Structure formats: C-alpha cells, structure tokens
Amino acid sequence: AQKVTQAQTEISVVEKEDVTLDCVYETRDTTYYLFWYKQPPSGELVFLIRRNSFDEQNEISGRYSWNFQKSTSSFNFTITASQVVDSAVYFCALRGDFQGAQKLVFGQGTRLTINP
Amino acid sequence: DGGITQSPKYLFRKEGQNVTLSCEQNLNHDAMYWYRQDPGQGLRLIYYSQIVNDFQKGDIAEGYSVSREKKESFPLTVTSAQKNPTAFYLCASSILGTPYEQYFGPGTRLTVT
C-alpha cells in the first residue's frame, strides 16, 4: 500500500524565517512520482513541483527548495525567507507507476502560518 | 484562459436530495478526477476517468455517481445514499499517464442539512 505522512499538522513562524515541511512516503513501486501542492485559503490546489524517483537531484525555485532522499523515503520542502503570502496548507502526494498508477495519494497536509 | 471550472462555489442541500456538482476543463486533458476533502484531512479519491464513457471507482465511491459523456466534462452526483456528504469537493484533470501532475479546480463546498 502507498502512504504519505506529513507529521507536522501546523507550523507557525515569523516572516523572513526559513521553514521546512517534512514529507515521508511508503511505496513498493520502483518507479514513482512525488508532488507538492499548495492550498491557499481560496481552496484551490496549486501544483508546485513533481519529482521522479530516479532523479534525486535537489531543486530550487526562487525561495522554494526541495530535498529528495530515497534512502530515507523523504521529500522535504523548504521555504527560505518566508512571506505572509506563503501562508497556506501544503500537501505532499505520491503516485506509483504500477500498483498506485491511477491515483495520487495525499498526506494529511501541513498548515503553515507566516506571521508578520 | 485554460483551466478547470467548478460550479457553484457553495452549495446547500437538504438531506435526502441528490445534488450534481459540475466540473469542466478546457486543457484538453484525457484524465479527470474527483476528490473529497474533509476538514484537517488530505484529499481522498472518489472517481476517476481516463477516457470518455469510461470511469473507475476510487477509494470512497459509495454514495456517489459520475458520467463522462464529453472529454471536457465530468459531473459528480452526490446521492442520498452518501452518509456524510458535507465536504469540500475538488475536481482535477491531467494528461494521461503516471508522471503527469494533476491540475485542480477551485472546488465546491457542499453543505447538507
């Protein structure tokens, strides 16, 4: 069975602090895909990044960076110099290439609050 | 403007009534999905469709029905058999195939009293 765990239910930091959102996954598929989505108060999920299981390079996009470590089955997301607009619920998700090919399995989400 | 539209944003119904949630996409995506989100929880898959006139049950299909008569449209009916229908419903679409990310609509918040 596939599973995604986001152990941090809520995080609150002051603006300009760096913050890391943790994501741990379980899958038996040898090929799989990991995703991060942002859900602002409006409710719509916004796609942030996709990472393939065979590509362990970390990625940076502006203030956002992602650390993928197969050895620990983790795909953590760091926001540098956080801003109030980063306040949202963030979801990590997993999609397999065989057993779990038909759906995204989501974690419970982490509610991030950036205080001014 | 390409995207996914869901209407209405808020929907109120009395218990025992069926209600249909609309989902339309103009992204030319073959695959479409319906998810349910409850407060403080992740998304759970209700139904998905990879091609017109074909759809598959997800993890929590009981009490729901769908149709896929057109590529662009994937309406979801919440029937009176659904025991706890009050939730936030999100529609998504994607290019067919496992690597591809899903794009989501703005959601419909359904309240049944």
Side-chain angles (χ1 to χ4, degrees):
Chain A
Q2 306 204 56
K3 186 178 178 182
V4 174
T5 302
Q6 295 179 255
Q8 304 149 309
T9 306
E10 295 192 30
I11 299 174
S12 180
V13 300
V14 176
E15 199 171 18
K16 297 183 184 172
E17 284 186 20
D18 298 348
V19 58
T20 295
L21 282 60
D22 298 332
C23 173
V24 174
Y25 62 91
E26 296 174 31
T27 181
R28 291 184 180 180
D29 288 350
T30 53
T31 301
Y32 52 89
Y33 307 88
L34 294 161
F35 305 83
W36 274 96
Y37 284 87
K38 174 182 180 179
Q39 186 177 41
S42 60
E44 180 173 350
L45 264 73
V46 178
F47 166 72
L48 295 177
I49 191 172
R50 177 187 73 213
R51 172 60 70 212
N52 307 327
S53 58
F54 43 86
D55 179 4
E56 288 194 68
Q57 278 194 338
N58 291 329
E59 181 154 341
I60 298 175
S61 176
R63 296 183 297 106
Y64 295 173
S65 62
W66 291 268
N67 183 328
F68 176 34
Q69 292 198 343
K70 265 177 115 164
S71 59
T72 56
S73 297
S74 65
F75 185 43
N76 297 337
F77 172 30
T78 297
I79 301 175
T80 303
S82 59
Q83 299 176 2
V84 173
V85 294
D86 295 326
S87 296
V89 180
Y90 290 85
F91 290 97
C92 180
L94 165 71
R95 188 171 190 177
D97 204 39
F98 179 61
Q99 291 187 344
Q102 304 310 324
K103 64 179 183 181
L104 278 175
V105 174
F106 284 85
Q108 300 288 80
T110 297
R111 180 176 299 278
L112 176 63
T113 302
I114 311 298
N115 299 297
Chain B
D1 244 338
I4 302 174
T5 57
Q6 291 185 245
S7 59
K9 180 72 175 173
Y10 298 95
L11 194 52
F12 298 89
R13 280 293 182 270
K14 294 287 187 187
E15 198 173 319
Q17 293 179 336
N18 291 355
V19 58
T20 297
L21 281 58
S22 162
C23 176
E24 304 276 333
Q25 55 99 359
N26 61 5
L27 300 168
N28 199 33
H29 286 165
D30 286 301
M32 296 188 74
Y33 311 82
W34 273 105
Y35 290 90
R36 168 181 173 139
Q37 185 180 21
D38 293 287
Q41 297 191 30
L43 280 68
R44 292 182 290 168
L45 183 67
I46 304 173
Y47 268 99
Y48 64 95
S49 168
Q50 295 179 297
I51 194 171
V52 172
N53 292 323
D54 186 58
F55 44 83
Q56 306 295 329
K57 292 181 180 180
D59 297 322
I60 55 167
E62 185 174 347
Y64 300 97
S65 66
V66 293
S67 63
R68 186 90 186 274
E69 296 176 3
K70 298 186 300 182
K71 185 176 182 177
E72 305 78 24
S73 179
F74 191 40
L76 173 74
T77 297
V78 184
T79 75
S80 55
Q82 168 50 232
K83 302 238 183 306
N84 296 297
T86 295
F88 188 51
Y89 291 88
L90 286 151
C91 178
S93 72
S94 73
I95 296 172
L96 198 61
T98 52
Y100 300 105
E101 56 273 16
Q102 295 177 14
Y103 292 93
F104 286 80
T108 292
R109 192 168 298 279
L110 173 65
T111 302
V112 177
T113 57

